[in-house]
Amino acid sequence: MNISLPVDRRLWPEDVAQSRAHVRMLAEAGIISEADRDAVLGALEAVERELKGGGFPFREDDEDIHMAIERRVTELAGESGARLHTARSRNDQVATDLAMFTRARATEAAALVSALMDSLLNAAERHLDWPMPGYTHLQRAQPVYLSHHLMAYFWMLERDRVRLRFAAEQADSLPLGAGALAGVNFPTDRRQVAHDLGFERVAPNSIDAVSNRDFALDFLSAAATCATHLSRLGSELVLWSSDEFGFSRLPDAWSSGSSIMPQKKNPDAAELLRAKAPRLAARLVALHGVLHGLPLTYNKDLQEDKEHLFDAVDTLELCLTAARGMVEGVRFDRDRLAAASADELLAATDVADLLVRRGMAFRQAHGVVAGLVRFALEQGRSLSELTPEELAGHSELLDDDYYEVLRQGAWLESKVSEGGTALPRVREQLELARRTLAGEVAAGASAPLEASR
Ligand code: ARG
């Protein structure tokens, strides 16, 4: 139960890098001799080679990767090796490895998010003016352009990227040098170690340094939200690629056949995007559970942080890669999308707005149009088949412009408000998105107000 090696052995690159920085600093500060330093660095070199090549001689009683590496360094470098752990505790050591790991993986996840955003933006540009139905309650509500719909995911992911980068920043404070909890009895130079390992700051309080796992919480929180976004994308891809919708076809690489029904093509990967999300949320909650009520400073409970973090890292990277593959390979059916968005009833709000422009209060207009829709449905006729006389019976304000409003396409191009689906607005959005990806706009979902005033 005590042994964590099977889980934490993947921290070996961080542990080796940290030990190198540590012994360099110890020698610089005159705490160990240069000969000892060189012997340890030589042994670390060999250990790295063994770990990389899979030839590292792990032993039954290696408790964790930190103990295993130190044991091996001591085997190889003798008494010099036994000096490696001078002025260091496994408490600040493990916190440091984990911070390095989190910083790197959060940065990598943010890069995968950027790549997916780029794929979405390209897909939006390819389908700029393809009408499709927009939904509320999974009922056709108002038509939008497919580009506009795809871009909704772009902006979700932009927020994810901000959160992942925040997690990386939170992990950018060096715990090493805190010792077990109180600091160490040697004149160490923590700033040198921080500089060596690329940390932005030195943790200012040794007690907090060994107890802190907030950066892991921040990563898990960002990962859980991102996975939730991907689950919504997965869910829509599943719906869209069903025969019932028929809006899209997923690439073969991201679908699979049925083992018994030869006609079927199942959207497995998209379904998994849906189902992986709760797992990340669970990892976040689990780590909160580990940390909650935990007295300062190090408690063995903290060993349980890694499995949650590692699983979240792996799952998120997998989901982001799969989502990108699907976005790049999905083929949309323009005719099906257009047919589904040609239903005149989707223009009901536009007819109400016509009445509003003629001076009627919106609530009243809503009632008039509801009456019109009921009237048309009862007679099995479409809205544009109603005669001018019938219209006048519902409201005198309904004239020939009514037919103009029902003309297809007018309902999309009338959505001119900033962030709306009218093409000039979508183009504006795509432009902002390009600049966001290029790093020209400060992180966030919209241009700052001052810029346009
Ligand atoms: N395997 C431990 C962990 O991952 C390392 C720290 C052990 N420290 C200690 N005081 N027992 O948390």
Side-chain angles (χ1 to χ4, degrees), residues 2-5 8 11 63-67 89-95 180 213 298-306:
N2 214 14
I3 289 182
S4 59
L5 181 65
D8 61 31
L11 286 177
E63 188 184 313
D64 56 25
I65 188 65
H66 323 287
M67 299 285 264
S89 154
R90 253 191 311 155
N91 298 351
D92 57 350
Q93 183 180 2
V94 71
R213 296 294 184 274
Y298 181 86
N299 301 269
K300 192 74 173 189
D301 308 49
L302 289 175
Q303 181 166 286
E304 284 291 306
D305 56 4
K306 284 164 218 63

Side-chain angles (χ1 to χ4, degrees), residues 261-305:
M261 297 164 282
Q263 83 282 10
K264 287 195 71 192
K265 185 164 148 179
N266 298 325
D268 295 35
E271 293 171 297
L272 286 168
L273 278 190
R274 270 193 324 216
K276 294 279 187 196
R279 177 161 151 173
L280 280 113
R283 295 298 186 178
L284 169 64
V285 173
L287 185 58
H288 270 294
V290 168
L291 295 172
H292 155 262
L294 201 63
L296 301 177
T297 55
Y298 181 86
N299 301 269
K300 192 74 173 189
D301 308 49
L302 289 175
Q303 181 166 286
E304 284 291 306
D305 56 4

Side-chain angles (χ1 to χ4, degrees), residues 96-272:
T96 300
D97 284 356
L98 206 68
M100 289 170 71
F101 177 86
T102 304
R103 199 177 47 162
R105 302 327 296 176
T107 305
E108 170 63 15
L112 290 174
V113 169
S114 301
L116 176 56
M117 289 165 74
D118 186 56
S119 302
L120 281 162
L121 182 49
N122 291 334
E125 282 170 349
R126 284 197 304 274
H127 304 92
L128 180 66
D129 59 353
W130 292 32
M132 70 175 282
Y135 293 82
T136 61
H137 310 272
L138 203 55
Q139 312 283 321
R140 287 178 193 165
Q142 292 180 322
V144 293
Y145 288 114
L146 177 53
S147 53
H148 194 48
H149 192 103
L150 291 171
M151 286 305 288
Y153 287 102
F154 178 97
W155 299 113
M156 291 179 221
L157 290 162
E158 164 61 2
R159 296 191 294 274
D160 291 330
R161 212 160 61 131
V162 171
R163 280 184 279 267
L164 287 164
R165 287 177 179 160
F166 175 77
E169 281 166 28
Q170 289 302 304
D172 216 359
S173 184
L174 177 77
L176 201 67
L181 78 150
V184 297
N185 300 332
F186 297 91
T188 51
D189 184 350
R190 297 183 67 207
R191 282 157 193 263
Q192 183 193 321
V193 177
H195 181 77
D196 212 350
L197 293 175
F199 278 90
E200 191 66 35
R201 305 176 295 279
V202 165
N205 179 303
S206 61
I207 293 175
D208 181 41
V210 292
S211 317
N212 177 27
R213 296 294 184 274
D214 289 2
F215 52 84
L217 286 177
D218 289 331
F219 176 84
L220 289 172
S221 166
T225 304
C226 182
T228 294
H229 292 154
L230 299 181
S231 79
R232 300 179 78 169
L233 175 63
S235 173
E236 297 210 308
L237 288 170
V238 171
L239 287 173
W240 293 347
S241 57
S242 68
D243 283 341
E244 283 69 15
F245 277 77
F247 288 177
S248 63
R249 281 180 63 84
L250 282 170
D252 286 342
W254 300 97
S255 332
S256 68
S258 158
S259 56
I260 178 166
M261 297 164 282
Q263 83 282 10
K264 287 195 71 192
K265 185 164 148 179
N266 298 325
D268 295 35
E271 293 171 297
L272 286 168

